[in-house]
């Protein structure tokens, strides 16, 4: 029940934020802040109320009632559709990340949005609700519903509050995700139908559909339906082209949400649905998927280097970083999977911070064109220091979260595909090239003495410092995150054997 | 059932002829009044076929449908004539080839 | 004693300085910046004393960094003789350089940022040498790289400095990536990254000459080559001279660039399993030391000369490692840290007192005007050239002897090293003669104060007596006693630097020998510009890597993949336009097409029905 309450809180909070605008113009952002804070506290309250040691227990991946939280209410019985939700360590991690980045998104839109603030905050909260639903839904039909729910408010965020080419970007985002979502819907229906033939009753429940014998052409079609839907969202090369446009045109809060959490739904979907539902086919498909991941790493990095628009550069760096996630997921050993999960968290934080930086620059300079910046360190040393920190985080400096993630992914991948690892490792070099080039063009170089620009204020510094501390904590002591995900991975390993996808790391 | 029996084929032939006349009128006339009238002819042709069929199998359904068609025709004429008035007012013509834009 | 305090103190000070963002008083900044390193140096001295007394290896585990399956790197320190030597150099020389920096950087508006970066560097470097596993070592390794980037580009207003900084980072990153792959390989094959268990496992699982250790060491060597500016990744170091001079002294002479040497020495058991890699190390050393020495001869920027000489001296260390004389390599690392820091600091003093003049041909006659600097420079150059009884003499002599004793290739390596020694002597005294003798070109506008002079004098002392230190390395490396010392070889290696000194005197001071005519000829010109540009390796790399990469990025800038999707868009737009022609708005046309459509459908249905 608590999971429904959590999502309900966000949905209702959105409506309230919308209405609050009529009372006072700036009230809605406070309502929205309060909603997310309350949701977060509520969630933490529930987690602390769980019996001790339940976070360390390995959940049975085939039975939701052994998970941390489980909810099953019949909904459309005729088609075997139920309100079935469950939370394990992985979902918990991602929901907490979602809510935290929700706070960051609200902070970053604090003074940026003036037009229809209430509706803006409402869309923001509804997106969060949709994402939380995606991370919790265990009924495939419900999952698809939430998948769409998070899409539409996001579309509105881009289309209404975006920058100069917002219609184009919003439409592109919508079409890409919608078409891929349609493929997934078809795959879901096919899968449920298949399940009926095998199990004897129609059900959309994840737990009923696990372990179906899926072979041949129809199996491939279903697997690819899921795979494409998730890799469009991830996004992976070559389905990534919506991302630079959407990121660039979205308002800062939209970019933060997109990069921070919406992309993670793709990775989550692969890990939770695509690979466990189709273990054999995924094993056969793994080389292709990993190839796409490595291609994304390099391609994203090269294109990031070519950009002149700050936000576009960060967007392409996301493509590059998410390539590591794809690599890690399909390497399917513990090291690489932990790395992929770590990358989701660390990339969420570091990229959110860089998008905030881009938003702050745009607010001050009214441009995102880096050719018109330069020497900003002189006017805004605190911004410069923050930008430098997150730039070196994104190039994978050890001691920060992204390094742990990339190292684990590559170390795990090396046991499977040494040559591919060597290619993906080139991404470490190219990441240095574009990150440092970004810093050079914005904060270094000759300052324009005419320009007057205010440095970060205390509110912005607070958000930035929090994210810096988070990245350092993830970098020097990632164990809490790893421990939270480990039982889930153990469970998944029980479902999909290591040996199916890879050779075991030699002890 | 006494009285003069009209063979079914004749009735259907008549209905088909009427229907074709209406259709031709709809396709060839440009004046909207005539188009509406042609529509009316087509509706009635169909209705005739229903009545005949109802008589043939001794079922009331044919007459029920005939009443339905009457109602639909009346409604259609009401809407249609309203449109005719509007078109006349906007375009100053009743030629439908002139009025081929959605905005007036 | 709390060993963790040693890297923690500079780290804490760096954090404080960063958080203060320059609002701290300058004097407090300076005290904090230099004081934290000074304290660390004191602690290292205590630690060294304790170690010399009991010879116990000290291991401290702070926490487990991460634990996934059997991948459990810890944040843990391993302190043996080698570590003690490195720590002493880093904190000792580091403290002197910090002290010197106070005066050198006093007028800079970003004093706080400077000390924050410097302290961070010291902390990272300490982590590098104290790490008990290769992953923590890699953390320090990358950390010093970033600090080097930050400090080379310290004066960010000049875009050239930024370019030099980026070049330094990216070129070393190439090596680092190879090293990371090496770590993956070692972990996958041996299941651990803790250095001591790794050595045991390697010896247990691998035979000398197996492929895997060769590949692994070659990858590690890639990292070492990048960090230590050896062929073929040496190009970043001369450009890195764009940073403040004390930075060059600390990072690009005394400590960071020698990290590669440390890496190989630390993993020497692994390298001993791979003789081909060892040979490669030796040959890379010789090739680099010759190339850099030749290049140094032609330079006219005082710092670039010293930079090439650094590359060349690290080449000697690689040569030592390659022939298995690890202790000699580390010994040379230490003496080199003394005299090269001295030279850089003295050069910094010259630059500081001469309105930031870098060109040696606009100096001259400084012997009487800056006496302290002159004597420092002279002593430093003597040690660099390995004149007898200076510290450089002892260390370099040991390396040349070890090279000579190497079977088969020994004499060749020795000859290369000897030629390098001759060139070293020539270019270092060329520098002394041109800068400090002859006629004055520029008048100094100030004298170095005590904070500059003090470190210089101390380093002079170290450069002179550093050769008599007995390093506590016996427990670390295998003994390779010099069974019979070949006297003729020894005499030649003593005489060579003196010959170089004589040649330099004749060429640049006495002018009894003149090469002006040779240089004026077309071939001489070409040769000179070839040497000046560092054998055009930069141009080669630009053509090979930089330009193709930027061209590729430029070519791809507009998303070739998106063209595919745009094609779909274009197709649907085309069909839209085509079908639009049917939408005439004429009622009769619609009615007619409906009729024909119906007739067609009916016909099809009837046909199928019959």
């Amino acid at each position: 029940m608590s999971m429904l309450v959590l999502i309900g809180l966000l949905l209702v909070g959105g409506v309230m934020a919308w209405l609050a605008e009529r009372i006072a113009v700036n009230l809605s952002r406070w309502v929205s802040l309060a909603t997310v804070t309350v949701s977060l506290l509520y969630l933490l309250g529930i987690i602390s109320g769980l019996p001790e040691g339940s976070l360390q227990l390995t959940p049975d991946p085939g039975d939701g009632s052994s998970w941390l939280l489980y909810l099953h209410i019949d909904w459309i019985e005729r088609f075997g559709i139920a309100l079935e939700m469950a939370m394990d360590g992985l979902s918990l991690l991602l929901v907490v990340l979602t809510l935290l980045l929700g706070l960051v998104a609200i902070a970053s839109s604090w003074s940026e949005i003036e037009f229809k603030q209430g509706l803006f905050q409402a869309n923001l909260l509804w997106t969060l609700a949709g994402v939380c639903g995606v991370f919790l839904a265990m009924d495939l039909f419900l999952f698809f519903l939430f998948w769409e729910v998070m899409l539409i408010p996001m579309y509105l965020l881009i289309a209404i509050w975006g920058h100069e080419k917002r219609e184009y970007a919003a439409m592109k985002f919508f079409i890409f995700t919608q078409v891929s979502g349609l493929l997934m819907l078809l795959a879901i229906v096919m899968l449920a139908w298949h399940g009926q033939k095998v199990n004897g009753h129609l059900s959309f429940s994840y737990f009923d559909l696990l372990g179906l014998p899926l072979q041949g052409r129809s199996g491939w079609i279903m697997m690819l339906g899921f795979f494409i839907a998730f890799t469009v969202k991830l996004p992976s090369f070559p389905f990534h082209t919506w991302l630079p446009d959407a990121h660039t045109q979205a308002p800062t809060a939209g970019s933060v949400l997109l990069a921070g959490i919406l992309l993670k739904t793709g990775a989550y979907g692969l890990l939770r649905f695509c690979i466990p539902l189709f273990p054999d086919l995924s094993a056969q498909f793994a080389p292709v998927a990993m190839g796409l991941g490595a291609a994304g790493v390099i391609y994203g990095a090269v294109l990031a280097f070519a950009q002149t628009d700050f936000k576009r550069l960060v967007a392409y760096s996301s493509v590059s970083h998410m390539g590591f996630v794809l690599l890690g997921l399909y390497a399917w050993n513990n090291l690489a999977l932990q790395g992929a999960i770590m990358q989701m968290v660390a990339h969420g934080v570091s990229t959110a911070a860089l998008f905030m930086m881009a938003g702050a620059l745009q607010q001050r300079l009214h441009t995102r064109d880096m050719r018109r910046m330069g020497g900003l360190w002189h006017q805004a040393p605190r911004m410069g220091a923050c930008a430098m920190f997150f730039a070196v985080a994104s190039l994978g400096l050890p001691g920060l979260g992204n390094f742990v993630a990339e190292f684990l992914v590559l170390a795990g991948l090396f046991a499977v595909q040494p040559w591919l690892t060597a290619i993906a490792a080139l991404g470490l070099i190219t990441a240095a090239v574009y990150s440092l080039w970004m810093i050079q063009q914005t904060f270094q170089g000759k300052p324009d003495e005419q320009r007057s620009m205010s440095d970060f204020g205390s509110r912005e510094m607070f958000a930035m410092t929090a994210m810096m501390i988070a990245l350092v904590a993830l970098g020097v002591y990632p164990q809490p995150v790893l421990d939270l995900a480990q039982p889930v991975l153990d469970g998944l390993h029980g479902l999909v054997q290591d040996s199916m996808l890879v050779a075991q790391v030699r002890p | 059932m006494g009285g003069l029996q009209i063979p079914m084929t004749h009735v259907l032939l008549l209905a088909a002829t009427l229907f074709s006349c209406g259709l031709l009128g709809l396709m060839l006339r440009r004046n909207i009044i005539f188009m509406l009238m042609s529509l009316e002819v087509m509706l009635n042709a169909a209705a005739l076929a229903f009545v005949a069929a109802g008589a043939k199998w001794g079922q009331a359904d044919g007459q029920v449908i005939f009443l339905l068609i009457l109602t639909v025709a009346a409604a259609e004429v009401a809407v249609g004539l309203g449109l005719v008035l509007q078109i006349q007012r906007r375009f100053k013509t009743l030629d439908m080839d002139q009025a081929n834009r959605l905005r007036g | 004693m709390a060993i963790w305090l040693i890297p923690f103190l500079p780290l804490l000070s760096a954090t404080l300085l960063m958080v203060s963002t320059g609002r701290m008083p300058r004097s407090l900044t300076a005290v904090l910046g230099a004081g934290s390193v000074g304290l660390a140096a004191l602690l290292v001295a205590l630690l060294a004393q304790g170690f010399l007394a009991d010879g116990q290896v000290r291991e401290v585990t702070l926490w487990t960094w991460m634990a996934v399956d059997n991948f459990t790197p810890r944040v843990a320190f391993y302190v043996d003789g080698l570590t003690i030597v490195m720590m002493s150099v880093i904190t000792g020389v580091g403290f002197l350089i910090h002290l010197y920096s106070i005066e050198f950087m006093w007028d800079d508006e970003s004093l706080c940022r400077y000390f924050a970066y410097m302290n961070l560097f010291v902390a990272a470097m300490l982590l590098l040498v104290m790490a008990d596993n290769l992953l923590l070592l890699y953390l320090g390794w990358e950390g010093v790289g970033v600090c080097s980037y930050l400090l080379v580009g310290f004066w960010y207003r000049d875009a050239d400095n930024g370019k030099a900084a980026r070049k330094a980072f990216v070129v070393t990153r190439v090596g680092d990536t190879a090293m990371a792959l090496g770590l993956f390989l070692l972990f996958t094959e041996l299941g651990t990254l803790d250095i001591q268990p790794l050595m045991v496992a390697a010896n247990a699982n691998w035979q000398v000459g197996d492929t895997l250790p060769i590949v692994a060491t070659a990858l590690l060597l890639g990292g070492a080559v990048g960090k230590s500016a050896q062929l073929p990744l040496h190009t970043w170091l001369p450009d890195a001279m764009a940073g403040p001079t004390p930075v060059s002294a600390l990072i690009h002479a005394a400590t960071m660039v020698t990290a590669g040497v440390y890496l190989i020495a630390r993993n020497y058991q692994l390298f001993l399993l791979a003789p081909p890699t060892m040979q490669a190390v030796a040959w890379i050393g010789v090739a680099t030391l010759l190339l850099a020495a030749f290049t140094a001869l032609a330079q006219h920027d005082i710092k670039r000369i010293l930079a090439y000489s650094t590359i060349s001296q690290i080449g000697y260390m690689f040569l030592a490692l390659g022939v298995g004389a690890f202790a000699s390599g580390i010994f040379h690392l230490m003496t080199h840290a003394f005299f090269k820091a001295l030279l850089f600091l003295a050069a910094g003093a010259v630059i500081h007192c001469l309105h930031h003049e870098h060109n040696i041909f606009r100096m001259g006659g400084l012997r009487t005007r800056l006496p302290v600097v002159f004597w420092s420079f002279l002593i430093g150059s003597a040690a660099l050239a390995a004149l007898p009884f200076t510290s450089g003499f002892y260390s370099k002599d040991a390396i040349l002897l070890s090279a000579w004793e190497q079977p088969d290739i020994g004499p060749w390596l020795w000859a290369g090293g000897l030629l390098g020694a001759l060139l070293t002597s020539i270019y270092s005294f060329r520098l002394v003669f041109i800068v400090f003798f002859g006629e004055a070109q520029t008048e100094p506008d100030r004298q170095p104060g005590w904070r500059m002079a003090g470190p210089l004098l101390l380093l002079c002392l170290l450069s002179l007596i550093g050769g008599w230190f007995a390093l506590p390395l016996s427990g670390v490396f295998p003994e390779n006693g010099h069974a019979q010392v070949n006297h003729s070889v020894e005499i030649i290696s003593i005489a060579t630097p003196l010959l170089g000194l004589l040649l330099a005197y004749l060429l640049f001071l006495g002018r009894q020998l003149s090469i002006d005519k040779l240089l004026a000829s077309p071939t001489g010109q070409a040769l000179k510009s070839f040497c000046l540009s560092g054998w055009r390796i930069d141009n080669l790399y630009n053509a090979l890597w930089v330009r193709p990469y930027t061209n590729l990025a430029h070519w791809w800038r507009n998303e070739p993949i998106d063209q595919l999707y745009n094609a779909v868009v274009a197709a649907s737009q085309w069909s839209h336009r085509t079908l639009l022609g049917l939408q005439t708005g004429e009622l009769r046309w619609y009615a007619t097409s409906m009729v024909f459509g119906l007739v067609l459908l009916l016909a099809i249905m009837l046909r199928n029905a019959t």
Side-chain angles (χ1 to χ4, degrees), chain B residues 13-60:
Chain B
L13 264 178
L14 178 63
T17 317
L18 277 174
F19 192 86
S20 305
C21 284
L23 197 57
L24 276 176
L26 188 71
M27 280 162 29
L28 297 177
R29 299 304 298 236
R30 285 199 272 178
N31 192 309
I32 186 146
I33 303 261
F34 283 96
M35 287 168 87
L36 281 174
M37 285 166 66
S38 310
L39 260 183
E40 210 64 19
V41 171
M42 284 161 72
L43 278 171
N44 283 303
L48 180 61
F50 273 112
V51 173
K56 161 115 178 146
W57 284 292
Q59 296 257 335

Side-chain angles (χ1 to χ4, degrees), chain A residues 172 176 237-241 299 302-303 305-306 316 334-335 377-378 388 395 397-399 403-404 407-408 410-411 414 425 428-430 432 436-437 440 444-447 449 475-479 482 506-507, chain C residues 21 63-71 113 117 135 138-139 142-143 146 149-150 156-157 159 162-163 166 169-170 173-174 177 181 183-185 187-189 191 549-550 552-553 556-557 559-562 565:
Chain A
K172 196 167 177 180
F176 265 85
F237 177 87
F239 307 119
H240 63 276
T241 63
Y299 187 79
V302 173
L303 262 83
F305 174 64
Y316 276 111
N334 224 350
L335 276 178
W377 196 298
H378 178 63
M388 184 68 89
L395 67 79
L397 182 71
F403 167 74
V404 175
F407 195 89
L408 286 176
L410 291 176
F414 193 87
L428 297 178
I429 304 171
T430 46
L436 300 183
W437 179 234
Q440 174 68 40
Q444 296 177 334
K446 210 167 181 50
E449 302 289 347
V476 298
Y477 192 62
Q479 206 57 40
L482 300 177
R506 216 170 292 171
Chain C
T21 58
W63 69 86
T64 301
W65 189 356
M66 56 187 109
V68 180
D69 292 351
N70 57 343
F71 182 65
R113 189 160 60 94
Y117 291 167
L135 195 67
Y138 191 73
L139 184 149
E142 290 288 296
V146 165
Y149 161 77
L150 292 171
Y156 60 85
R157 285 165 198 238
K163 192 174 175 201
R166 284 202 311 284
F169 192 82
V170 172
R173 190 87 201 228
V174 173
T177 305
L181 287 172
L183 299 195
F184 301 145
L185 178 65
F187 174 71
T188 310
E189 292 301 325
Y549 188 75
T550 43
L552 180 73
W556 275 359
R557 193 179 44 187
E559 268 284 19
I561 300 294
D562 216 15
Y565 296 109

Side-chain angles (χ1 to χ4, degrees), chain A residues 3 50 64 106 132 138 167-168 185 228 316 373 426 454 462:
Chain A
M3 287 178 286
L50 288 173
I106 294 169
C132 286
M138 282 298 134
E167 283 94 353
Y168 171 76
L185 180 66
I228 290 175
Y316 276 111
M373 300 179 191
L426 292 179
S454 58
F462 178 75

Side-chain angles (χ1 to χ4, degrees), chain C residues 520-541:
Chain C
S521 69
T523 19
Q525 284 285 340
L527 196 68
K528 195 180 166 201
S529 83
F530 183 68
C531 272
L532 187 65
S533 67
W535 296 23
R536 302 223 193 287
I537 291 175
D538 269 336
N539 304 30
L540 178 70
Y541 286 175

Side-chain angles (χ1 to χ4, degrees), chain C residues 254-283:
Chain C
T255 54
M256 185 187 87
V257 284
T258 56
V261 179
Y262 170 78
L263 179 74
I264 296 177
R266 178 49 87 201
N267 296 299
Y268 78 95
Q269 300 187 35
L270 205 58
F271 279 79
L272 286 181
L273 290 175
T277 319
M278 288 291 274
Q279 281 207 7
V281 172
W283 281 116

